Amino acid sequence: MHTDVVLLNLLLWMVGVSGHRSPKGHTLQPYRNVRSKREMPLTEGPGRKIGSPIFKRSPDMTKTWGTKSEQLLRIDDHDFTMRPGFGGPAVPVGVDVQVESLDAISEVDMDFTMTLYLRHYWKDERLSFKSNNNLSMTFDGRLVKKIWVPDMFFVHSKRSFTHDTTTDNVMLRVYPDGKVLYSLRVTVTAMCSMDLSRFPLDTQTCSLEIESYAYTDDDLMLYWKEGNRSLNTDDRISLSQFLIQEFHTTTKLAFYSSTGWYNRLYINFTLRRHVFFFLLQTYFPATLMVMLSWVSFWIDRRAVPARVPLGITTVLTMSTIITGVNASMPRVSYIKAVDIYLWVSFVFVFLSVLEYAAVNYLSTLQERKERALRERLPCTCGLAHPGMMSASYSEVDANTTGNYGMPEENGVKRERMLVQLAMESDQVTGHVGSSAYNNVWIDTHAIDKYSRVLFPGSYIFFNIIYWSIYS
């Protein structure tokens, strides 16, 4: 019986092996190593799925790994040296600007420097692609050189460049329907025609002008994408000498006789100059020099070493202030507001020097007249003809009259007395030249006395008119 059981098992094993015979050329493997597809795991190795769509052509080309952007956008299938829709209507190109900074404004060079983000929007159906899951694709500046982009330039610019640290600051974003966003970061130095007739109490308006270089308005239509809201500025923008009052946009047509009409976009900004710096550096020093020149009116006219250097010092200081201001300004052919103030102040200082010259001259002339009178008048010690003296002379102290050649405390009174003596003497002797002595006496103190009031009053009146006009 044991032998029968062994033969039966051997027969069953032979039948099972014949039912699982492998194809020709394949080795037979044990049953425990044979696994059905349903028993295979979903992944073979980390992150790799068997049967994943990565091995199939997906309709969303933007998700296909290894596809070149030139193939995706079919760049080789089109001629991008031509504008979109060539032969048809003009391509609308919207523009918006983000002003990052105003770097410098120069009155000498008549220009300004601005850093900005310049963005263009247009539609080029040649760049459209199929995409179900991705809204857009973004590229750097390397693809920009292979497609058509608007040929913008800055009118009246002196220098400009696109930033390239750490790479070219250029961005290209393409949408599935062919819409394109092209952005770049630019620093430009452009001309600004300034009117300095009211400097430094002036307000300047400058503009940055953007235009297509090759395409007229028949081929390319430039416009601000969202009107005045297309221009945005950084809140931290500030200038040392100016207050930024306003930014706004305008659009005009520019005509060139050789090529035609072009759309031109303007970025206008208004700047008001801070005057406090010039008050400290120019106006206050000039005013103090004028006031210093008035000090000579209170100094004795005989103190020549005191009054002359004071006048010369104030004149030279005013000349230095005028030279310093003009050195930092352009050589314009018209008069600026600061020139009016400085030159009027210079005239006041110069007149104070002339005032002392007049006082000194008249004093010298009076001394000569007195000397001539002393030589002509007889000695009045004995008063030989007392009856011929006028009533005004009788009021004078006898001691004073006898010592008319000595210094007197009241010089004016003595001088008047001498002239009256000369007039009485002429009446007695009948001299023909008596009329020449009628105007000999001049009170030289009166010139300084009047100047103490006239000079400050005139200068205050000038300041009232000046600041009411220019402020």
Side-chain angles (χ1 to χ4, degrees), residues 412-429:
V412 177
K413 188 174 183 180
R414 179 177 62 83
E415 293 164 0
R416 185 181 293 111
M417 179 200 69
L418 291 175
V419 176
Q420 291 170 351
L421 286 174
M423 293 175 65
E424 292 292 343
S425 177
D426 290 338
Q427 292 176 3
V428 174
T429 58

Side-chain angles (χ1 to χ4, degrees), residues 200-264:
L201 307 170
D202 57 334
T203 300
Q204 302 294 339
T205 299
C206 300
S207 61
L208 182 64
E209 305 170 16
I210 306 173
E211 184 181 305
S212 172
Y213 190 83
Y215 297 98
T216 64
D217 60 343
D218 295 330
D219 293 321
L220 191 145
M221 183 182 68
L222 280 180
Y223 68 97
W224 290 109
K225 190 172 184 295
E226 297 182 2
N228 202 38
R229 293 182 299 174
S230 300
L231 180 60
N232 300 308
T233 58
D234 195 331
D235 296 335
R236 296 174 296 178
I237 294 179
S238 62
L239 297 171
S240 58
Q241 290 192 25
F242 291 92
L243 173 65
I244 303 176
Q245 290 187 323
E246 182 186 10
F247 271 97
H248 66 279
T249 61
T250 54
T251 304
K252 295 181 181 179
L253 283 175
F255 176 74
Y256 299 91
S257 58
S258 301
T259 53
W261 293 89
Y262 294 82
N263 294 112
R264 183 177 295 181

Side-chain angles (χ1 to χ4, degrees), residues 163-197:
H163 290 259
D164 55 1
T165 305
T166 58
T167 59
D168 292 339
N169 296 173
V170 176
M171 184 268 288
L172 184 71
R173 182 172 296 168
V174 182
Y175 293 85
D177 58 353
K179 292 181 178 180
V180 182
L181 165 60
Y182 174 47
S183 175
L184 63 161
R185 183 168 174 253
V186 182
T187 294
V188 56
T189 300
M191 182 182 68
C192 178
S193 299
M194 300 182 185
D195 182 11
L196 301 175
S197 59

Side-chain angles (χ1 to χ4, degrees), residues 129-147:
F129 58 91
K130 294 181 180 181
S131 177
N132 298 328
N133 300 322
N134 197 20
L135 297 178
S136 64
M137 290 189 301
T138 302
F139 306 94
D140 57 15
R142 289 171 289 187
L143 187 64
V144 174
K145 301 177 181 179
K146 300 180 180 181
I147 65 172

Side-chain angles (χ1 to χ4, degrees), residues 109-126:
D109 299 328
M110 292 285 185
D111 59 22
F112 66 93
T113 302
M114 178 185 292
T115 301
L116 52 89
Y117 296 94
L118 181 62
R119 305 184 183 98
H120 312 75
Y121 302 84
W122 74 94
K123 186 175 182 179
D124 191 347
E125 295 182 352
R126 295 173 295 184

